[in-house]
């Protein structure tokens, strides 16, 4: 206040107290916030440099979250490939089992009556054999003496020998019984006047063709194929499925100039070349499965390399964030030990200044005492 006059000693001590109070306020603020630069007023260069470093650290932190999602997407695809490989291996096992099965022969056994065959006319010695849906093959047994079932069997074998349409059909006897057997398991029928006279007409029974024997395995195989389709479609993470053709772009820096584009693949059964089958050609199916296995192994290696790159950049980004935040901290963070020591020194200075101000006021108090 301009109307109040203070001595120079009092004014000097008062100014010291004011400066000390201001420095104490600054020191207490640094201790409370932990920052020596909390605004541009404290140190513009350090403040704006630290703000830039913290902003980049924040951007990289967001990218690190994106990289983490990328890592999990790749892991989901890798797990999908591993599981598909197991299904392909199971399908190959089924195919190998189907390869081992055999057809069950179709048979017809009957007791032979040869009494009337020896003197029978040519028409009455006619014998027809029909295999499956093919045209019936007509045979005429030779005119000769037939004493036993073996004689008849021998003549029938002679007639069918060299006939490609009757390949696989065998004729055996046991006593008075004659047995026709077709190794392919197809249905067959014996007819004609001679068959009726001999009592051997009828249809073969108990047979199962190779295709019928493989039918159960083919059903299992096709079911595994369906499971491959379902598994591939389920290997999705966060809406991205690298096994159904989705691509994945992982950015490594703020402007996207550093990134990794991971191309998706279509690894359902059709994409792997595994087709629905009835095991007509098992060797071809096994070749397709072997090719699918090679494809899956190659892609697993590719995804593994991509995963390694993303994880490496993830670790780099984590360390880079630490460097940026540490750099910003070096510019703005206060040394709490130093500030605590400063506060103690300022408190001591404040106490001394108050004592000095009291001493400076004693002269004026002496004048006051004289006036009383």
């Amino acid at each position: 206040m301009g109307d109040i006059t203070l001595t120079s000693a009092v004014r000097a001590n008062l100014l010291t107290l004011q400066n000390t109070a201001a420095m104490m306020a600054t020191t207490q603020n640094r201790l409370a916030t932990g920052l020596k630069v909390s605004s541009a007023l404290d140190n513009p260069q350090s403040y704006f440099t630290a703000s830039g470093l913290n902003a980049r650290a924040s951007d990289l932190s967001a990218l690190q979250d994106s990289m983490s999602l990328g890592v999990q997407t790749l892991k989901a695809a890798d797990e999908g490939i591993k599981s598909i490989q197991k299904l392909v291996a199971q399908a190959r096992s089924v195919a190998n089992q189907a390869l081992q099965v055999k057809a069950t022969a179709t048979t017809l056994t009957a007791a032979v009556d040869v009494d009337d065959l020896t003197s029978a006319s040519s028409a009455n010695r006619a014998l027809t054999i029909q295999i499956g849906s093919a045209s019936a093959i007509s045979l005429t047994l030779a005119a000769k003496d037939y004493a036993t079932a073996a004689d008849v069997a021998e003549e029938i074998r002679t007639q069918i020998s060299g006939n490609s349409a009757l390949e696989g059909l065998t004729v055996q006897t046991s006593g008075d019984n004659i047995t026709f057997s077709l190794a392919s398991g197809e249905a067959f029928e014996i007819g004609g006047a001679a068959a009726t006279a001999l009592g051997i007409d009828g249809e073969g029974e108990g047979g199962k063709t190779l295709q019928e024997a493989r039918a159960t395995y083919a059903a299992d195989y096709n079911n595994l194929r369906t499971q491959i389709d379902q598994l591939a479609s389920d290997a999705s993470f966060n809406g991205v499925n690298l096994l159904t053709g989705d691509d994945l772009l992982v950015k490594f820096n703020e402007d996207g100039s550093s990134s990794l584009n991971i191309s998706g693949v279509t690894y359902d059964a059709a994409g792997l070349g595994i087709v629905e089958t009835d095991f007509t050609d098992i060797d071809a199916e096994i070749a397709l499965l072997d090719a699918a296995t090679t494809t899956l192994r190659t892609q697993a290696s590719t995804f593994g390399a991509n995963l390694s790159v993303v994880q490496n950049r993830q670790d780099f980004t984590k360390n880079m964030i630490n460097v940026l935040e540490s750099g910003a901290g070096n510019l703005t963070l206060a040394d709490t030990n130093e500030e605590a020591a400063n506060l103690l020194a300022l408190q001591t200075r404040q106490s001394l200044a108050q004592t000095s101000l009291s001493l400076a006021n004693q002269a004026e108090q002496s004048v006051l005492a004289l006036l009383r």
Side-chain angles (χ1 to χ4, degrees), residues 364-372:
E364 295 180 0
Q365 289 174 354
S366 298
V367 173
L368 180 61
L370 291 173
L371 295 175
R372 286 177 178 175

Side-chain angles (χ1 to χ4, degrees), residues 159-227:
Q159 293 290 331
I160 67 177
S161 177
N163 192 323
S164 60
L166 299 178
E167 186 177 357
L169 181 65
T170 61
V171 184
Q172 303 292 332
T173 58
S174 176
D176 292 334
N177 293 329
I178 188 169
T179 299
F180 293 87
S181 179
L182 185 60
S184 66
E186 294 178 88
F188 69 87
E189 183 176 359
I190 307 295
T196 302
L198 291 168
I200 59 174
D201 54 332
E203 297 180 356
E205 298 178 346
K208 181 181 288 186
T209 64
L210 184 59
Q211 207 62 31
E212 291 171 340
R214 291 174 175 175
T216 300
Y217 295 100
D220 292 340
Y221 181 95
N222 292 328
N223 180 59
L224 287 170
R225 183 180 180 278
T226 301
Q227 292 302 315

Side-chain angles (χ1 to χ4, degrees), residues 44-57 328 331-332:
Q45 182 175 352
S46 295
Y47 177 78
F48 288 113
T49 300
S51 295
L53 294 174
N54 282 326
R56 189 182 179 206
L331 294 173
T332 60

Side-chain angles (χ1 to χ4, degrees), residues 5-20:
T5 301
L6 299 176
T7 64
S8 59
V10 172
R11 189 173 295 280
N13 281 282
L14 180 60
L15 184 60
T16 298
L17 277 172
Q18 290 173 338
N19 289 337
T20 301

Side-chain angles (χ1 to χ4, degrees), residues 48-133:
F48 288 113
T49 300
S51 295
L53 294 174
N54 282 326
R56 189 182 179 206
S58 178
D59 293 340
L60 289 178
S61 181
L63 286 173
Q64 193 175 36
D65 293 338
S66 176
M67 282 183 267
S68 178
L69 292 176
V71 167
Q72 297 306 315
T73 302
L74 282 166
K75 286 184 176 180
D78 183 60
E79 290 299 324
I81 286 180
K82 289 178 181 177
S83 297
I84 291 174
Q85 283 178 309
K86 292 178 181 178
L87 290 175
V88 171
Q90 290 176 8
R92 197 183 194 288
S93 176
V94 170
N96 285 330
Q97 289 176 4
L99 195 60
Q100 303 304 316
V101 300
K102 304 295 181 183
T104 303
T106 308
T107 61
L108 170 62
T109 300
V112 177
D113 182 4
V114 299
D115 292 343
D116 298 327
L117 183 61
T118 299
S119 59
S121 63
S122 176
N124 289 330
R125 294 196 308 274
L127 183 75
T128 61
I129 303 175
Q130 183 179 13
I131 297 178
S133 59

